[in-house]
Amino acid sequence: MVATEYDPADRTTARGAVTCRLVHKWTSLVCTAFLLLICVTGLPLLFAEEIDGWLSPGPPYPTLPAGTPNASLDRLTGLARELYPGEIITSMFLDDDEPRVVVSVAPSWRESVETRSSNHFVEFDARTAQVRDKSQAGEQRMDLLTVLFRLHIDLFADLPGNLLMAAMGVLLVVAIISGLVLYGRSMRKLPFGTIRHRRVARIRWLDLHNLLGVVTLAWVLVVGATGVMNELSRPLFALWQATDVEERLAPRRNQSPPGQGELASLQGAYDTARQAAPGMTITSVVFPGSDVGSPHDYLFWAKGATPLTGRLFSPVLVDARSGALTTILAMPWYLRVLELSRPLHFGDYGGLPLRLLWALLDIVTIVVLISGLVLWIRPRASSAAPALAEDRPDDG
Amino acid sequence: MTASRVWRRPPVLAALALFGLLPVLPGEDGHWRWFSRFALAAPLPVIFHCLSRSPARRPGAR
């Protein structure tokens, strides 16, 4: 999409430029529609918390004396079982921003995996154990943010969708690199940032595409590459489970996993996990039997308290029968890279100003994509002369 | 090349953007972290400047 100059004296360079142009053109074209969707859906997702607060504010929290202790987790699991008799608890989310606990429930582990809609939840006030919200099995809560989020990450296609979007991200990275090579050639005779207003519309679009593309290059490259990492999170976690976790669980392979009626006190296991990970905050627990946990243990996810360690989660396994600490698992490097890539993708490490900046750069990227499409749709006037003409400075 | 033109060059902009992304790594909050975060905003005034300095289109020009 970027003009290059044909120099008969240097056929190799010219051939390289043609190849580069072809690579840039086709990698861009293949991923442009997906990237437009990602950029458009990503824009409101930057402000998901605020939008969610406006659309579904939820019941207000009662004002309680400072230092009011939280309800026992065993009480919350007991209440959840009373609400949904015969069902299993799959996980629990312990919000560290608001005093709430969300208990996830499903008819069985099998249905939980095979039928996404069978998973539902009950939300408690963490202090009073009052039910704040709940859903039933099969109830589809498809609010605006959920739709945008699913479109953004997997097009409602689960793992195949994740992999497709990751492939589009890789194409984006290739398009950026090939575009940069072409940019260097096409701007040799032009001052930086020139917009040749006096030339035909296609040249103006080309200049706009070049300017916006090159000034946002580093940001788009980082957000694109970290997006690919995020799309690969499920395969990466599966790899970790199939290797490191499986190795640690090997000695108990022949033991039968505990049923939900045989589980040790969750509050006791939580206290054990907190003692094992001092100074860390536990944000969730996965019950034994989950595909993303251990068949024999509660899996607690704990995070640190500093800006950096707050991004890094450590899994703590507590035996679900005895309530004794099993181990603190070490996270492999690729999952650490994944964790560090998240704030770079979401732009959520600098408050609202940084998210506003992310939004502006996202809009600029949308313009780059649209200008690229315009350049493809509007063919050059003829095949030979324009390549030279496009390199010409504004002569008006 | 004047200083005002230096920061409009692509490698400088890329370096500024990468500097702005760094605060996700080190420890506690501080003034330099805020400063570096806003280095990411460097492309915006550059875009504004380049778009506004270009002469208006002459009617009928090609």
Side-chain angles (χ1 to χ4, degrees):
Chain A
M1 293 182 202
V2 178
T4 57
E5 182 179 276
Y6 177 66
D7 182 357
D10 193 348
R11 289 189 176 191
T12 311
T13 311
R15 214 177 298 136
V18 170
T19 308
C20 216
R21 185 190 292 175
L22 277 174
V23 169
H24 184 64
K25 177 179 174 179
W26 287 107
T27 50
S28 306
L29 277 177
V30 171
C31 68
T32 290
F34 294 97
L35 291 176
L36 271 173
L37 177 73
I38 286 171
C39 288
V40 170
T41 53
L43 203 54
L45 286 175
L46 285 167
F47 308 100
E49 271 183 39
E50 288 81 357
I51 293 171
D52 193 40
W54 295 331
L55 295 180
S56 45
Y61 291 99
T63 307
L64 298 175
T68 303
N70 283 346
S72 161
L73 295 180
D74 292 328
R75 186 177 167 208
L76 300 184
T77 53
L79 288 169
R81 290 201 171 97
E82 280 176 21
L83 282 168
Y84 304 108
E87 300 200 32
I88 58 163
I89 296 174
T90 57
S91 64
M92 193 179 267
F93 169 63
L94 315 167
D95 199 332
D96 57 334
D97 285 332
E98 294 180 40
R100 67 185 189 121
V101 172
V102 182
V103 181
S104 298
V105 185
S108 67
W109 285 113
R110 189 173 171 180
E111 282 193 66
S112 167
V113 174
E114 292 178 354
T115 316
R116 184 187 277 263
S117 63
S118 71
N119 294 287
H120 55 113
F121 72 92
V122 52
E123 180 183 322
F124 294 103
D125 185 312
R127 304 157 305 171
T128 62
Q130 293 295 308
V131 175
R132 288 174 48 79
D133 194 8
K134 61 180 178 176
S135 67
Q136 298 296 331
E139 180 184 336
Q140 291 273 19
R141 288 204 179 183
M142 201 54 81
D143 56 26
L144 176 67
L145 284 173
T146 308
V147 171
L148 293 175
F149 182 70
R150 293 297 306 278
L151 285 172
H152 189 78
I153 63 162
D154 66 1
L155 302 170
F156 291 93
D158 290 321
L159 185 58
N162 290 135
L163 297 177
L164 175 73
M165 291 305 220
M168 294 305 115
V170 172
L171 287 180
L172 167 69
V173 172
V174 176
I176 290 171
I177 294 168
S178 55
L180 186 61
V181 174
L182 292 176
Y183 174 85
R185 288 180 60 81
S186 72
M187 295 300 287
R188 280 184 304 194
K189 296 176 183 173
L190 294 172
F192 174 82
T194 302
I195 305 286
R196 290 167 288 180
H197 282 291
R198 295 173 185 177
R199 302 290 297 279
V200 293
R202 188 177 190 282
I203 300 282
R204 295 199 302 274
W205 278 107
L206 173 69
D207 289 343
L208 185 68
H209 184 75
N210 283 348
L211 167 64
L212 299 184
V214 81
V215 296
T216 56
L217 178 130
W219 181 84
V220 176
L221 200 57
V222 169
V223 173
T226 52
V228 172
M229 275 301 291
N230 280 304
E231 293 290 6
L232 296 177
S233 64
R234 282 164 73 170
L236 290 177
F237 268 101
L239 173 67
W240 174 62
Q241 281 198 302
T243 52
D244 298 10
V245 178
E246 191 62 34
E247 190 183 314
R248 298 302 291 265
L249 299 176
R252 290 185 289 166
R253 193 172 288 153
N254 295 326
Q255 291 178 12
S256 60
Q260 292 245 325
E262 303 172 83
L263 298 179
S265 158
L266 178 63
Q267 185 63 49
Y270 173 82
D271 293 338
T272 302
R274 282 194 67 183
Q275 283 173 11
M280 299 183 85
T281 305
I282 291 173
T283 57
S284 66
V285 52
V286 180
F287 276 55
S290 167
D291 277 357
V292 292
S294 155
H296 308 286
D297 306 281
Y298 289 116
L299 169 59
F300 292 93
W301 285 101
K303 67 173 187 177
T306 66
L308 175 62
T309 58
R311 306 281 178 189
L312 306 177
F313 286 81
S314 292
V316 183
L317 290 179
V318 176
D319 191 294
R321 274 203 178 94
S322 68
L325 178 71
T326 304
T327 186
I328 301 178
L329 290 166
M331 293 286 271
W333 66 268
Y334 49 85
L335 290 183
R336 287 293 186 223
V337 171
L338 170 67
E339 288 175 327
L340 286 175
S341 75
R342 284 180 171 150
L344 289 174
H345 188 75
F346 305 144
D348 61 352
Y349 60 95
L352 186 62
L354 202 70
R355 282 187 287 144
L356 286 171
L357 180 60
W358 242 246
L360 289 170
L361 292 170
D362 185 282
I363 292 168
V364 172
T365 307
I366 291 174
V367 178
V368 174
L369 293 169
I370 292 172
S371 59
L373 271 181
V374 170
L375 289 171
W376 175 64
I377 291 166
R378 290 188 172 195
R380 279 178 290 178
S382 66
S383 58
L388 290 168
E390 285 182 3
D391 280 355
R392 206 176 64 208
D394 202 329
D395 51 7
Chain B
M1 187 180 295
T2 62
S4 65
R5 291 187 66 189
V6 168
W7 73 289
R8 281 192 269 123
R9 299 194 71 79
V12 178
L13 287 169
L16 277 171
L18 294 174
F19 178 61
L21 293 165
L22 272 181
V24 77
L25 293 173
E28 300 305 318
D29 246 331
H31 293 304
W32 81 269
R33 283 167 64 88
W34 280 104
F35 173 74
S36 63
R37 280 169 193 161
F38 286 101
L40 272 164
L44 301 175
V46 171
I47 292 169
F48 180 77
H49 175 78
C50 291
L51 291 180
S52 59
R53 77 170 178 187
S54 299
R57 192 182 178 202
R58 196 172 51 197
R62 283 194 82 247

